């Protein structure tokens, strides 16, 4: 329940309650996308306690980034990331950013984004707009959208192409690099 977390009320109204991701879709989507994770920055939008970020780090992504707007979940992710690294979970450092997914500026270079339906179409469209800007600058962008309740945010604009469609996740790539 977002009302139990210390988050901006106006943005909380645009999001959904915290639900842990099991990461199964991540492994399947990376395989299906046919990418070399070592070339890509992984970004989990709505990273919660950090599980998907740690899975991505162990999978060998160049960078493993989590963006979370709830300070309580962010603090847990930081502690989980430290334990994961000290236990030898990965040589890739887990980066956790406390902030709003809609205003986060993704890094340059190839991006593999993970979105577990943490927010509605308003914030999702903000995230997609920033990723489309990266793609317009020549950076490849792939997104796995788990529990895809707001597919219209991707499919209304006809910029995103469905690369794989499973019952519980959809893999998207940009159909046009220059927007």
């Amino acid at each position: 329940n977002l009302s139990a977390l210390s988050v901006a009320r106006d943005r909380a109204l645009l999001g959904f309650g915290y639900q842990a991701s099991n990461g199964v879709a991540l492994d399947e989507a990376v395989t299906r996308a046919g990418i070399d994770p070592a070339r890509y920055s992984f970004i989990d939008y709505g990273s919660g306690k950090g599980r998907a970020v740690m899975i991505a780090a162990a999978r060998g992504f160049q960078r493993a980034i989590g963006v979370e707007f709830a300070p309580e979940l962010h603090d847990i992710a930081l502690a989980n990331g430290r334990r994961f690294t000290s236990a030898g979970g990965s040589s890739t450092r887990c980066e956790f950013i406390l902030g709003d997914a809609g205003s986060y500026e993704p890094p340059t270079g190839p991006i593999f984004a993970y979105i577990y339906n943490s927010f509605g179409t308003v914030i999702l469209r903000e995230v997609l707009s920033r990723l489309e800007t990266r793609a317009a600058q020549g950076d490849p962008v792939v997104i796995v959208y788990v529990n895809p309740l707001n597919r219209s945010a991707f499919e209304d604009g006809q910029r995103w192409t469905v690369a794989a469609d499973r019952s519980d996740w959809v893999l998207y790539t940009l159909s046009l690099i220059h927007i």
Side-chain angles (χ1 to χ4, degrees), residues 119-137:
F119 31 77
T121 56
V122 171
I123 296 174
L124 182 56
R125 289 182 199 279
E126 292 170 359
V127 168
L128 295 180
S129 175
R130 291 179 187 281
L131 292 171
E132 288 167 1
T133 297
R134 281 288 176 253
Q137 296 168 353

Side-chain angles (χ1 to χ4, degrees), residues 32-33 142-143 160-165 169-173:
R32 186 69 185 254
V142 178
I143 298 177
W160 295 92
T161 299
V162 174
D165 192 344
W169 58 268
V170 181
L171 184 68
Y172 290 99
T173 59

Side-chain angles (χ1 to χ4, degrees), residues 5-174:
L5 300 171
S6 305
V7 296
R9 181 160 168 68
D10 62 327
R11 297 302 270 182
L13 293 173
L14 301 173
F16 304 123
Y18 168 73
Q19 182 176 354
S21 172
N22 66 18
V24 172
L26 173 58
D27 280 335
E28 290 179 29
V30 168
T31 300
R32 186 69 185 254
I35 64 164
D36 175 5
R39 292 189 52 240
Y40 281 72
S41 291
F42 172 88
I43 305 168
D44 181 2
Y45 289 93
S47 56
K49 297 176 183 179
R51 178 183 287 159
V53 174
M54 291 179 279
I55 292 169
R59 190 97 153 98
F61 277 88
Q62 182 182 73
R63 292 178 70 184
I65 303 164
V67 181
E68 175 57 52
F69 82 145
E72 297 89 344
L73 298 176
H74 172 74
D75 290 345
I76 292 169
L78 288 171
N80 287 342
R82 283 191 296 271
R83 280 194 297 276
F84 177 75
T85 302
S86 67
S90 174
S91 59
T92 300
R93 184 175 66 90
C94 296
E95 303 173 46
F96 294 104
I97 295 161
L98 178 61
D100 187 286
S103 60
Y104 173 70
E105 284 295 338
T108 58
I111 294 171
F112 187 97
Y114 183 84
I115 302 173
Y116 189 108
N117 199 44
S118 304
F119 31 77
T121 56
V122 171
I123 296 174
L124 182 56
R125 289 182 199 279
E126 292 170 359
V127 168
L128 295 180
S129 175
R130 291 179 187 281
L131 292 171
E132 288 167 1
T133 297
R134 281 288 176 253
Q137 296 168 353
D139 295 333
V141 177
V142 178
I143 298 177
V144 61
Y145 184 32
V146 181
N147 190 19
L149 298 178
N150 296 298
R151 291 177 65 143
S152 63
F154 289 89
E155 296 170 11
D156 287 351
Q158 299 177 347
R159 292 184 176 144
W160 295 92
T161 299
V162 174
D165 192 344
R166 306 283 299 231
S167 61
D168 58 342
W169 58 268
V170 181
L171 184 68
Y172 290 99
T173 59
L174 279 177

